[in-house]
Amino acid sequence: MTQFVHPDEVRSRFSRAMSDMYRDEVPQYGNLMALVAQVNGEVLKAQPALAQAMAQADELDRLDVERHGAIRVGTKEELSTLRRLFAVMGMEAVGYYDLSVAGVPVHSTAFRPVLGSSLNRNPFRVFTSLLRLDLLADEALRAQSAAILARRQIFTERALALIAQCEAAGGLTDDQADEFVREALETFRWHSEATVDAATYDKLHKAHRLVADVVCFKGPHINHLTPRTLDIDAAQLGMPAHGMDAKDVVEGPPRRACPILLRQTSFKALQERVNFPGSDDQGTHTARFGEIEQRGVALTRKGRALYDSLLANVRSMGNAGSASANYQDRLESSFAAFPDSHDAMRQQGLAFYRYVLQQPVGDASADIETLIADGVVRAEPIVYEDFLPVSAAGIFQSNLGGEEQKHYEANQAQQAFEADLGAQVHDEIALYQAMQDASLQAVREALAQAAVAESVA
């Protein structure tokens, strides 16, 4: 019987290979990793309770390998093939993000594992954006961009063959998996040679820097590879000392005792040399940067509604951007209304938790809060594995340049995106709900079985 490599292992191999490639391409990435490792070590040493909780939840091992990448593609064919490529690694499309409402002409999803065991093995994610040429006002520029994109092939022939092989056979052998990693990596490699002349590049760049980034190159070079920190504020303060030009502010919710959702920061994008075909012309391109994230507990629909309303309140108080001190003060003041303890968030139904049996003695039908109070069950925060559209747009804008504040008509186009993808995206909140429900069901079944065993004895 043929032995296939588990998709979790293929994903781990690919994640390591991409990290090595990105370190070679962006030397500051190595500095970023050193800083995050230092901060995480200090936090775990200073907070033994956190270290113990992460160990109990089997989350310590994933911390060192955790990464998320981001890419931008130009056509529905590229997007649908990426779906098939990531499926080889056990990654599925989760969530829909319309960034056009923040002036970025893309909509996106995140490819990631969906099972808890796979997430703890390696939660590698790739935030994947599809360019929306329909949002460009210049009809001639739209047509020219579409023609340029139609001429490129971002996947190697061997990568396509191995994807088809995996789909037909149900998996890849060890040698095939290694070859797949090598071939797939070529899609995400940086190429300093543009596929258009300097004049075309300039025209697309003036329309929107992101349009030039997608249209003018051989493929969707990975534009950041993000490690996870346990204290993003400490990492933000430490970036200048490690030679990184940090963005002005951390995106997302304010600092809290019990982190929620996602907070992100980055060092500003590099100016990289670009060569144009058929001439000695050289230019520079700003695309790739270094990002750090801190992940908190996933919120329920009720919790997200409260989060969104508090964020909307902050933004309605004035037009100052998130980099302003006044905005940050308003953010902290507004979010004082969001409970900052796991007990309160759990009891008010604002966040998701995984329930773990501590001792097999208790009433299987009892209220979960009673079981927790009696020490029968432990509640572990479920890590938010996804993204926030406002934060993602903030990172995009800070690295595209402050003048890139184009406003596109808000247009939810999830159905069109899913048609281009060739599949429906998962509802991320439904995934967290299923995790919580399954853990509670397992607890009740274990308690019921223990009760039956005791009665028989």
Side-chain angles (χ1 to χ4, degrees), residues 114 119 127 134 152 175 204 236-237 260 316 345 357 445:
V114 296
L119 287 163
F127 190 82
D134 59 296
R152 76 177 186 180
D175 288 344
L204 290 168
Q236 172 91 344
L237 290 173
I260 58 174
S316 69
M345 286 191 286
L357 196 63
E445 289 177 356

Side-chain angles (χ1 to χ4, degrees), residues 234-283:
Q236 172 91 344
L237 290 173
M239 288 172 80
H242 283 71
M244 290 171 271
D245 183 11
K247 72 185 298 291
D248 296 323
V249 71
V250 175
E251 300 284 349
R255 184 180 182 90
R256 293 164 44 90
C258 300
I260 58 174
L261 297 175
L262 176 69
R263 302 180 72 206
Q264 297 172 289
T265 189
S266 69
F267 65 72
K268 294 181 180 177
L270 310 173
Q271 288 279 345
E272 301 185 272
R273 287 190 175 278
V274 176
N275 299 310
F276 295 102
S279 75
D280 294 329
D281 292 341
Q282 275 198 335

Side-chain angles (χ1 to χ4, degrees), residues 22 68-70 72 127 221-226 264 287-291 395-396:
Y22 199 67
H68 100 246
R72 306 153 186 166
F127 190 82
H221 38 259
I222 196 82
N223 58 62
H224 61 266
L225 200 56
T226 305
Q264 297 172 289
R288 301 189 302 162
F289 54 93
E291 186 178 78
I395 294 286
F396 272 36

